[in-house]
Amino acid sequence: MSVPSEKTKYIFITGGVLSSLGKGISAASIATLLKHSGFGIGILKLDPYINVDPGTMSPLEHGEVFVTKDGAETDLDLGHYERFIDTSLTKNNNFTTGQVYKRVIENERKGKYLGKTIQVVPHIVNEIKERIFLAGKGKDILIVELGGTTGDIEGLPFLETIRQIKHELGSERVMNIHVTLLPFIKVAGELKTKPTQHSVQELRRIGISPHMLILRAEQPVPKELKRKIAYSCDVDQESVIDAIDEKTIYKVPLNLLSQNILKPIAKQLNLGEIKPNMEQWTNLVSKIIMPSHEVRIAFVGKYLDLKESYKSLTEALVHAGANLDSRVNIKWIDSEKLEHENDPEKHFKDCDGILVAGGFGQRGVEGKMIAIKYARENKIPFLGICLGMQLAIIEYARNVLKLKEADSAEFNTTCENPMIYLIDEFIDSSGNKQIRTTKSPLGGTLRLGEYRCETKKGSNLQKAYGEDIIHERHRHRYEANAKYRELLEKNGMIVTGESNGLIEAVEVADHPWFLGVQFHPEFTSRLQNPNLAILAFIKASMKI
């Protein structure tokens, strides 16, 4: 069993009133300030839902699935953490109720509990505790975000764990921060505090007294109202912080810093005086809010009803723009509508670049290929990601090679020319052999995590990274069929990236900037270190 490090301190962040308040951004912002102050920071997301992981959940319900370096399919908040603190996380930085119960049941079957009756307390709570201590190993401070809302049934074992940890480690090593809503009632013209008071009461009933409140509000919270909340919730006034809506999420750490949020944190955890160096961060944020240039990118996707499905990718465009002092204006284009209308000129004539995002399933793929064909024939800078690369190959096979029934085995298992197919065996990111077939269960049969990729000298890919060997993350099941490589290359579509014989990137020889990649470059993009493939795409779209 993992035991807590003797020096690691813990900040637990809970949420009240309702979900989607921005607990993840609050956690990432505090982590950013502490990291820029010189502390070794770890961060952990606890997800109370019973799914083992979000890998098979619909993007329209749960938003994006974020893939870590070691291939874990995790909550999209881990993407925020990585983007803010510029650190690669692992499977140890996110776990769900499903994983906890699965482990406890497996241990019970193996007889590890010596015939005891298995209960939420102590067995489930101890498993949660062990995972928290594992994530905090070797860190000065571990920030732990609990998903969901205080009072949810599925969140109770996690709250009990947090309560127990304070008793085990002592008050100087544990801080509880509660993020809550301060709604503005337009008819009355005032902010209301009762939801916050009730949320804190519910947290106290469970046995946790927050040391700090972060108030989500549409506008700055007056001092008098902060004083009222401090008194009614028994929190120091300096520990009542407002988190108002900002033009960019990357301004949130600066907003929190301006309210001296680090002072009560340092006081509670006995950290001494804290002075973060936020100069570079502040400079990049200013370029997001007031950039010198603009570029317009057509974003072709099929999950547009919930744009959180593409969170990492849209944030990666923000990162590239900030580092190029340019606002990246996204023109959202529904691939299904594009397919039905078949009038690409109407959609793309005012765009500087075209991006075709990834996805699963046949819906909307014909529309994506219409976009790819338009970009290829009209010499518009193009970036295709994952399925976007696969469709670029199919489009080329159909319209340039004139191959009959060129398709993907994902959509047509009996097509005459399967440009994209399902390989039976591959080596995963841990070096282990994996077997997958069309009948394999969806969960756990993807090529996931970071893989090595060899780039072709002089290609757009190699120029973007400036390296012969790169490492990027994957999340896909089907692969480009190497059987057609020679035919493609003879006719102008060049393979410019490969990994153990698998095709990782393709480009079109007579095009100013055309790149399709099998990997997901957006997963490694951070504000202070933008992904180089996406940065090169925006540069090409800006013609610089």
Side-chain angles (χ1 to χ4, degrees), residues 295 297 317 320-321 324 328 533-543:
V295 64
I297 300 298
L317 294 174
L324 294 171
V328 178
I534 294 172
L535 187 71
F537 168 59
I538 298 301
K539 277 185 180 178
S541 300
M542 294 174 67
K543 298 179 173 60

Side-chain angles (χ1 to χ4, degrees), residues 9-277:
K9 301 185 178 185
Y10 297 83
I11 297 175
F12 293 100
I13 298 179
T14 55
V17 184
L18 45 80
S19 59
S20 300
L21 279 180
K23 296 189 301 296
I25 299 300
S26 298
S29 297
I30 293 169
T32 299
L33 293 173
L34 290 170
K35 183 182 178 182
H36 283 80
S37 302
F39 293 100
I41 299 300
I43 196 160
L44 172 66
K45 175 70 186 293
L46 313 179
D47 278 311
Y49 52 73
I50 300 173
N51 303 66
V52 173
D53 61 45
T56 56
M57 295 170 72
S58 168
L60 296 176
E61 178 173 330
H62 189 70
E64 174 188 74
V65 174
F66 185 81
V67 177
T68 59
K69 180 179 178 178
D70 60 348
E73 292 180 288
T74 66
D75 186 83
L76 60 82
D77 275 326
L78 261 73
H80 287 310
Y81 302 161
E82 287 205 4
R83 289 187 285 271
F84 271 69
I85 64 176
D86 193 11
T87 299
S88 292
L89 303 175
T90 70
K91 62 185 178 183
N92 293 331
N93 297 100
N94 179 221
F95 64 88
T96 69
T97 292
Q99 290 174 26
V100 171
Y101 274 80
K102 185 170 181 282
R103 173 74 62 81
V104 169
I105 291 169
E106 287 171 352
N107 286 343
E108 186 272 334
R109 293 287 83 190
K110 293 174 183 176
K112 288 190 176 181
Y113 300 120
L114 304 176
K116 296 284 188 183
T117 301
I118 308 305
Q119 297 176 293
V120 172
V121 181
H123 301 96
I124 297 298
V125 166
N126 285 347
E127 177 65 26
I128 295 170
K129 206 179 294 180
E130 183 172 346
R131 289 168 179 258
I132 291 173
F133 292 152
L134 178 63
K137 201 170 183 179
K139 304 298 182 184
D140 295 324
I141 302 169
L142 179 69
I143 296 172
V144 183
E145 178 201 347
L146 174 59
T149 307
T150 297
D152 292 345
I153 292 174
E154 56 266 38
L156 292 177
F158 294 91
L159 290 169
E160 171 61 18
T161 305
I162 293 169
R163 189 190 69 79
Q164 289 188 18
I165 287 176
K166 180 190 172 185
H167 286 281
E168 289 183 18
L169 302 186
S171 58
E172 279 197 358
R173 291 182 59 190
V174 174
M175 182 173 189
N176 292 309
I177 298 177
H178 195 54
V179 182
T180 182
L181 179 68
L182 209 63
F184 179 73
I185 308 300
K186 290 183 180 179
V187 176
E190 59 183 354
L191 292 160
K192 290 295 185 180
T193 65
K194 271 292 184 277
T196 293
Q197 293 178 48
H198 288 164
S199 183
V200 171
Q201 286 171 11
E202 175 63 16
L203 198 59
R204 277 199 184 141
R205 187 187 65 79
I206 294 167
I208 298 171
S209 294
H211 302 102
M212 175 180 287
L213 299 177
I214 295 180
L215 311 174
R216 287 288 289 114
E218 297 178 28
Q219 56 191 25
V221 182
K223 283 185 179 180
E224 304 78 42
L225 212 56
K226 285 186 177 181
R227 186 182 300 114
K228 175 184 176 181
I229 292 170
Y231 287 174
S232 62
C233 296
D234 195 25
V235 174
D236 291 342
Q237 190 171 337
E238 67 176 3
S239 297
V240 180
I241 308 292
D242 65 38
I244 61 173
D245 297 339
E246 298 285 359
K247 291 182 179 178
T248 170
I249 57 175
Y250 301 105
K251 194 171 183 295
V252 175
L254 303 178
N255 174 33
L256 299 182
L257 184 62
S258 70
Q259 298 176 71
N260 295 314
I261 190 173
L262 294 180
K263 184 179 176 183
I265 291 175
K267 182 179 177 182
Q268 174 64 31
L269 298 177
N270 195 23
L271 300 175
E273 189 176 0
I274 300 178
K275 289 185 179 180
N277 180 2

Side-chain angles (χ1 to χ4, degrees), residues 354 369-382 392 395-402 491-493 508-514:
I354 296 175
M369 281 191 279
I370 290 171
I372 294 166
K373 182 181 180 185
Y374 186 89
R376 179 177 59 80
E377 292 182 342
N378 291 276
K379 312 296 184 186
I380 298 173
F382 168 81
E395 186 278 326
Y396 206 83
R398 289 181 181 180
N399 298 314
V400 178
L401 305 185
K402 306 297 183 184
N491 289 274
M493 177 167 271
V508 174
D510 63 348
H511 192 286
W513 207 92
F514 186 105

